Amino acid sequence: MAKEKRFNFARFLDEYGLAGRGLLLATKKKSFWIAFILTFVIFGIIINLLSATGFTSFKLIGSFIGSGNFGGAFKIIGDAFLQIFGVGRDFRDFILTFILTLLQSILVALVVIVAKHKRTEKKAKKDSKEKKSDDSSGIQSSAIVAGLAVLGSGCPTCQTALLSPLIGTLLSGVSGAAAIAGTISLVLNILAIIIGILVFRKLGLETYVIIKSEHFKEKHNEQSC
């Protein structure tokens, strides 16, 4: 029994190793970096705006734009962008948010790689309906799982930012209400990070297989020519 546990643990670590290699291979693709940078900036700004004052920041940005004060709107957005890198933030809040933003961006970028491969496979196998269905089913299911996991890894943090003030208001008469809200925020952040790490294993493995398969096909085609 102990032997089986050791084997499973070793396999678990090996899968993360392959997932890491899949990520490294993905970083050589332009589509990965486009998706990663866009997600990192957009998601990072949104998460910091929500973490600060919930929807108040968005309302303030809207009022500034409505009055033609674009400088005020850009100032709020710029401050939220700088907060991604810890400027003006408590270190504990910063590091959790930064890790989650980083994971979220990696997952989205890997989903883009998988989705792009799926479209390529569909075009390449359009003449063989049966084979196309068999090959694309696994990619499709993993993409759906990845998409749901990406949402799961981000939404708990968003909910935290919105629920923390609410909890503080509801428990305003209770001693330690702020501490309770802070604890819930911390737990949901950590839970979101754990989900992201677990999903990375599946997505990274899928990406590794996809890119290695592409390399094999390219070499095979070169040898055929």
Side-chain angles (χ1 to χ4, degrees):
M1 187 65 111
K3 200 172 188 178
E4 185 181 351
K5 285 184 180 178
R6 282 197 299 270
F7 171 76
N8 288 337
F9 182 69
R11 181 181 176 184
F12 184 76
L13 291 179
D14 287 342
E15 288 175 346
Y16 266 104
L18 291 174
R21 292 173 66 182
L23 174 60
L24 288 175
L25 291 171
T27 58
K28 297 178 181 179
K29 294 182 175 291
K30 186 169 72 171
S31 57
F32 173 90
W33 287 109
I34 293 173
F36 176 87
I37 293 172
L38 286 175
T39 305
F40 188 84
V41 172
I42 295 172
F43 179 76
I45 289 174
I46 290 174
I47 210 69
N48 279 297
L49 288 174
L50 287 171
S51 297
T53 54
F55 283 119
T56 304
S57 296
F58 293 96
K59 291 178 181 177
L60 198 56
I61 291 172
S63 65
F64 277 139
I65 294 175
S67 62
N69 185 2
F70 294 99
F74 284 123
K75 173 71 166 57
I76 295 174
I77 295 172
D79 288 342
F81 174 76
L82 292 176
Q83 286 174 7
I84 299 175
F85 305 98
V87 178
R89 292 208 64 186
D90 175 74
F91 179 76
R92 189 190 71 172
D93 293 337
F94 151 69
I95 197 65
L96 287 174
T97 305
F98 180 81
I99 292 172
L100 182 57
T101 303
L102 189 63
L103 276 172
Q104 187 88 334
S105 304
I106 290 172
L107 293 179
V108 170
L110 292 179
V111 167
V112 169
I113 298 293
V114 172
K116 188 176 180 182
H117 174 76
K118 177 185 171 183
R119 289 195 299 270
T120 303
E121 286 289 289
K122 281 186 175 181
K123 290 179 182 178
K125 295 172 182 175
K126 61 184 178 181
D127 295 329
S128 178
K129 294 181 180 179
E130 183 179 354
K131 190 172 183 181
K132 179 181 73 174
S133 177
D134 291 339
D135 289 348
S136 64
S137 61
I139 297 174
Q140 187 176 24
S141 62
S142 66
I144 292 172
V145 171
L148 291 174
V150 167
L151 293 175
S153 65
C155 288
T157 306
C158 298
Q159 292 297 319
T160 300
L162 297 175
L163 287 178
S164 292
L166 177 61
I167 293 170
T169 302
L170 293 175
L171 302 179
S172 57
V174 179
S175 176
I180 293 173
T183 300
I184 292 175
S185 174
L186 178 62
V187 169
L188 288 177
N189 273 279
I190 293 174
L191 179 61
I193 290 171
I194 291 172
I195 291 172
I197 292 172
L198 291 175
V199 173
F200 168 71
R201 179 175 65 92
K202 181 176 180 63
L203 256 184
L205 279 171
E206 184 74 18
T207 304
Y208 176 79
V209 171
I210 285 172
I211 296 178
K212 281 295 183 181
S213 176
E214 289 176 350
H215 289 171
F216 175 79
K217 288 177 181 178
E218 288 173 2
K219 288 183 179 180
H220 180 72
N221 290 336
E222 288 176 359
Q223 291 175 356
S224 299
C225 295

